[in-house]
């Protein structure tokens, strides 16, 4: 069954599951400050395009021992089109175990 409406859904899932909030916003803060209802964080379009060009493909970094760098340069771009903004980009250094 499908229905068409001229207004956004009032469904629980539309507000509380269909969002990508900034990393510092947890559920408690989102509820307290009304982040769940901010239109700019809704997931409506998934045509995100991104690329990372630094560090280079198959680069290795020494994480322990002598001459360990204190910082790592990370560069790239992301855009979604349609005048929308990219909320955040996440990077994993352990094959996706943490971000």
């Amino acid at each position: 069954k499908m229905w068409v409406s001229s207004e956004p859904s009032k469904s629980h899932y539309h507000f509380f599951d269909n969002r990508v909030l900034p990393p510092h916003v947890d559920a408690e803060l989102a509820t307290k400050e009304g982040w769940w209802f901010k239109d700019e964080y809704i997931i409506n379009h998934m045509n995100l395009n991104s690329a990372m060009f630094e560090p280079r493909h198959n680069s290795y970094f020494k994480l322990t021992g002598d001459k360990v760098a204190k910082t790592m340069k990370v560069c790239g771009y992301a855009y979604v089109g349609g005048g929308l903004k990219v909320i955040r980009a996440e990077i994993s250094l352990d094959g996706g175990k943490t971000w």
Side-chain angles (χ1 to χ4, degrees):
K1 184 176 183 180
M2 181 170 59
W3 56 275
V4 178
S5 173
S6 61
E7 297 181 16
S9 172
K10 303 284 190 232
S11 166
H12 169 87
Y13 298 105
H14 179 69
F15 288 106
F16 301 104
D17 276 353
N18 201 20
R19 306 286 164 161
V20 176
L21 301 175
H24 74 280
V25 179
D26 60 12
E28 183 179 337
L29 183 64
T31 300
K32 180 180 176 184
E33 296 183 0
W35 285 84
W36 297 119
F37 306 101
K38 295 182 179 186
D39 289 338
E40 61 265 32
Y41 299 105
I42 190 169
I43 302 171
N44 278 330
H45 306 283
M46 297 302 290
N47 56 345
L48 181 69
N49 188 350
S50 65
M52 190 165 122
F53 47 83
E54 184 75 39
R56 305 274 186 234
H57 182 64
N58 288 331
S59 295
Y60 291 89
F61 300 94
K62 195 170 184 180
L63 300 175
T64 59
D66 296 336
K67 299 181 182 179
V68 175
K70 293 183 180 184
T71 62
M72 179 188 309
K73 181 179 178 180
V74 177
C75 297
Y77 67 85
Y79 66 90
V80 69
L84 302 173
K85 64 182 177 180
V86 175
I87 303 299
R88 70 177 184 233
E90 297 181 345
I91 298 171
S92 176
L93 300 177
D94 58 9
K97 293 178 185 172
T98 60
W99 293 88

